[in-house]
Amino acid sequence: MTTYVSPRAASWLQAAPFALIMTCLVLIPLGIIVVVSFMDFGFAEIIPEFYLGNWQDVLRSSLTIDTYVTVFRQLAYVWTITLVLGFTISYYLIFHIRSNIWRAIFLAACAIPFWTSGPIRMISWVPLLGREGLVNQALMGAGLIDQPISWLLYSEFSVIVVYVNMLTMAMAGPIANSMAKISPSVIQAAWDQGATEWQTIVEVIIPLIKPGFVVGTIFIITAVMGDGFLVRAMSGNQVNTPAVAIMNEINAFQFPPAAAKSVVLLVVVLTMVGLLLRFVDIRKELAR
Amino acid sequence: MGTRRTTSFYVLSFIFAAFLLFLYGPMFCVYLLSFQGPDGGMSFPMRGFSTVWFETLFTAGGRGVGDIHNSFIRSLRLGAIVALLTMLIGVAVGMSFRRRYPGGNFVFYSAIISMIVPGIFVGFGISLTLNMLGMRPQWWYSGIGAQLTWSLPFAMLIMFIILGRMDKAFEEAATDLGATSFQRFQYVILPLILPGVVGMFMAGFTSSYEEAARAGLNIGTGNTMPMELTGLLGAATTPVMFAVGTLTTLFMFTLVIATLLFSTTLTKRRQLRLSSQHA
């Protein structure tokens, strides 16, 4: 005595809770940010009147430029390092490790550190990079320096190190996934034609891993551009990025100016991601 | 590559080993330093071994540990509820994509947007929306909702993968034998995808137990673990933070390994049943 439901209605029913959550908790809130950016504000309150002051402040302030220069510099470092490191690791695991079991063990070994909570992974750099940390102790012990290097911790350097520590696998994962899809016969063919290992990498493998490279790059962009916690903790509040500026204003209950800054950052991030997505059919990539 | 070990193999092995050291080194420092003696500080050398920092954590007068106990309970409760919802809603949306339907693209791309928008904006947007509606954030609606915006898109992707790998022949056989769509789901599809569904529950739990950017502004009164720990970062002066790190890692390890075992047992049992029937 089952009642008949048309396939289309069945799909709608199945997707409804998901679609409802995405609409009410992602799409509408993002719209609200845009709306609030055009509103006036008092102490810890939003005044629902049309007001352009937030936007004038954001667009005229030289601070805006400074924060973007900082975050793009961080992004350039982190992206370059995670890309080279992520590619190297993936290449090693996919093309040099022949046993499936060892490959699985090595992949698991890379994933296990991420079971430790994020803030703890951040603080774990303190005993290494601090003034009395292991790195300074080792350098002094080796006689390379006379006094501890102070810029190892609570500086842009420590921010970059921790980003690389946290994000290399986000780049390596999608790249390894793309590499695993390359048919061994393609590699064998290049090999048989007398290509060196380097030629095979440059002319065969790199062109074929474009999707993984794009997905990994998107992960890095959203993580670095959108993060405020890590930068604040690892720079000791000394480095200012757009996300840190937004978090500071939210903490001070200045919601409309924070909203205006958010819209700018959102447009920047989505433009970058949108440009990248033009190079790859994301839906086709994920379905396989 | 090729049949013989080239120089590049050894160079790459060295790089990989160095990378693992880079990943594990800091964490081993945390585990080691959590057993620092009572006079020891937050960096090496070790001044004796003791469990005094774990004791500090568990005794009432723990210095510099804030509200760790309660935030752990809150994180656990939130993670479990989010994981359950993620699993149910994730399976449903995954099943919906087995046919093409109008609006499917909207559902798919809304998930992609949720994944690529930095979390702080989703969290900020939800809290602004509540503000406009004159409501206060509470963990059981805005808190859970904020976490779902992060865990659900991943659940959808996991469903794509496990449904894509499923052998359709079983299902077709069931249809040929006259099974209704509900029977097909209950007796054929669900048992086949069950290990993946367990994985989805786990992914939902770990992602929400850990997440702070989205939930931060929407939890209401009372921090969860990542927020509490972030708050303590600046104030930490004793190895008691490292004791927290050791314990939470131990907790995570136990949980993930238990899930993996459960999941493999499910797969094994199914294979045994299948092979005994074919024999």
Side-chain angles (χ1 to χ4, degrees):
Chain A
M1 55 156 269
T2 46
T3 47
Y4 179 74
V5 185
S6 81
R8 177 188 292 183
S11 274
W12 277 342
L13 281 175
Q14 286 164 339
F18 187 90
L20 201 67
I21 288 171
M22 289 301 143
T23 310
C24 295
L25 294 169
V26 180
L27 302 179
I28 292 176
L30 290 179
I32 295 281
I33 294 182
V34 179
V35 173
V36 169
S37 75
F38 290 104
M39 286 183 181
D40 202 353
F41 64 103
F43 177 71
E45 62 172 347
I46 301 167
I47 302 167
E49 278 170 17
F50 184 74
Y51 176 67
L52 280 175
N54 309 313
W55 280 97
Q56 285 162 351
D57 288 347
V58 175
L59 299 177
R60 280 192 199 146
S61 162
S62 66
L63 206 66
T64 311
I65 311 275
D66 290 346
T67 54
Y68 275 92
V69 169
T70 308
V71 82
F72 276 116
R73 186 176 57 229
Q74 288 174 5
L75 182 63
Y77 282 126
V78 174
W79 181 77
T80 314
I81 300 170
T82 53
L83 179 63
V84 173
L85 204 52
F87 181 89
T88 314
I89 291 161
S90 316
Y91 176 75
Y92 174 71
L93 290 178
I94 302 293
F95 294 112
H96 276 282
I97 300 298
R98 295 169 200 166
S99 133
N100 283 329
I101 293 169
W102 276 110
R103 190 178 301 139
I105 290 174
F106 281 165
L107 275 172
C110 291
I112 284 170
F114 293 87
W115 295 349
T116 297
S117 108
I120 298 289
R121 281 204 306 271
M122 286 185 210
I123 204 175
S124 69
W125 285 96
V126 174
L128 279 168
L129 299 179
R131 279 186 70 88
E132 277 134 45
L134 275 186
V135 174
N136 269 324
Q137 282 177 20
L139 289 176
M140 300 237 292
L144 290 171
I145 50 171
D146 300 329
Q147 51 182 6
I149 307 173
S150 55
W151 51 259
L152 287 179
L153 189 65
Y154 302 131
S155 60
E156 193 155 282
F157 175 78
S158 54
V159 173
I160 305 283
V161 168
V162 177
Y163 267 137
V164 170
N165 188 263
M166 299 240 189
L167 294 176
T168 299
M169 286 318 288
M171 182 64 110
I175 290 182
N177 193 35
S178 282
M179 278 183 184
K181 286 176 187 161
I182 298 176
S183 158
S185 56
V186 177
I187 305 291
Q188 195 57 49
W191 213 236
D192 290 345
Q193 299 284 318
T196 62
E197 184 167 3
W198 183 248
Q199 281 175 324
T200 318
I201 291 176
V202 173
E203 285 171 34
V204 181
I205 295 174
I206 289 183
L208 286 174
I209 57 156
K210 198 177 66 181
F213 160 76
V214 169
V215 172
T217 303
I218 290 174
F219 282 147
I220 303 290
I221 289 177
T222 48
V224 173
M225 299 291 287
D227 175 89
F229 291 103
L230 190 151
V231 174
R232 275 216 300 216
M234 294 320 297
S235 78
N237 285 325
Q238 292 182 52
V239 174
N240 202 10
T241 64
V244 169
I246 293 167
M247 276 172 55
N248 288 340
E249 271 179 345
I250 292 174
N251 290 343
F253 300 108
Q254 298 180 322
F255 296 134
K261 286 196 177 68
S262 301
V263 176
V264 175
L265 184 50
L266 209 53
V267 168
V268 171
V269 173
L270 291 184
T271 309
M272 291 166 81
V273 173
L275 283 174
L276 279 166
L277 284 179
R278 294 180 68 111
F279 295 105
V280 49
D281 183 348
I282 187 98
R283 183 149 190 179
K284 213 175 82 192
E285 279 311 312
L286 292 172
R288 270 192 305 163
Chain B
M1 188 174 291
T3 46
R4 61 198 180 282
R5 293 290 190 211
T6 51
T7 330
S8 62
F9 171 79
Y10 297 104
V11 175
L12 288 168
S13 297
F14 176 78
I15 296 176
F16 184 67
F19 176 69
L20 284 186
L21 188 70
F22 173 65
L23 278 186
Y24 282 86
M27 289 171 40
F28 276 114
C29 290
V30 165
Y31 309 145
L32 204 58
L33 284 170
S34 64
F35 293 98
Q36 178 78 282
D39 303 323
M42 280 186 76
S43 57
F44 291 100
M46 298 286 290
R47 295 184 204 281
F49 278 85
S50 74
T51 51
V52 67
W53 303 108
F54 293 94
E55 284 157 28
T56 313
L57 193 59
F58 281 105
T59 48
R63 293 161 289 154
V65 282
D67 195 19
I68 286 282
H69 305 82
N70 289 323
S71 36
F72 177 68
I73 305 283
R74 285 188 207 107
S75 266
L76 220 55
R77 179 184 62 186
L78 192 71
I81 298 173
V82 171
L84 192 67
L85 289 173
T86 302
M87 188 175 77
L88 295 174
I89 301 172
V91 169
V93 76
M95 293 300 290
S96 84
F97 277 109
R98 305 188 76 220
R99 324 172 188 87
R100 288 203 159 273
Y101 61 95
N105 271 334
F106 167 79
V107 176
F108 179 81
Y109 284 106
S110 67
I112 297 296
I113 288 176
S114 185
M115 282 176 95
I116 63 177
V117 167
I120 179 178
F121 299 124
V122 178
F124 183 38
I126 295 172
S127 96
L128 275 183
T129 312
L130 285 181
N131 191 312
M132 302 294 275
L133 294 171
M135 293 158 79
R136 294 190 146 276
Q138 293 283 343
W139 70 271
W140 51 270
Y141 63 90
S142 55
I144 289 177
Q147 302 282 25
L148 285 175
T149 63
W150 180 231
S151 65
L152 279 179
F154 284 101
M156 187 189 83
L157 295 187
I158 297 174
M159 276 300 279
F160 276 170
I161 295 168
I162 55 185
L163 286 174
R165 285 185 188 161
M166 196 178 74
D167 188 350
K168 294 238 164 40
F170 292 110
E171 204 188 336
E172 279 157 17
T175 314
D176 291 343
L177 291 168
T180 65
S181 55
F182 284 106
Q183 285 171 326
R184 222 160 48 215
F185 181 74
Q186 188 185 346
Y187 296 112
V188 183
I189 301 176
L190 191 57
L192 280 174
I193 65 173
L194 204 53
V197 173
V198 174
M200 212 157 78
F201 180 88
M202 204 50 223
F205 181 85
T206 47
S207 64
S208 55
Y209 172 81
E210 264 286 279
E211 211 277 338
R214 287 170 177 77
L217 292 167
N218 296 296
I219 287 289
T221 47
N223 281 345
T224 54
M225 274 302 265
M227 295 151 65
E228 188 70 27
L229 289 178
T230 319
L232 286 175
L233 276 185
T237 49
T238 62
V240 76
M241 275 294 284
F242 297 136
V244 178
T246 306
L247 286 179
T248 52
T249 309
L250 209 60
F251 167 73
M252 231 21 181
F253 261 77
T254 318
L255 210 63
V256 174
I257 288 169
T259 318
L260 283 179
L261 286 178
F262 182 56
S263 203
T264 29
T265 318
L266 282 177
T267 320
K268 275 221 184 89
R269 226 198 288 160
R270 192 183 71 214
Q271 276 164 351
L272 273 180
R273 212 162 44 220
L274 281 176
S275 54
S276 69
Q277 280 162 1
H278 284 296

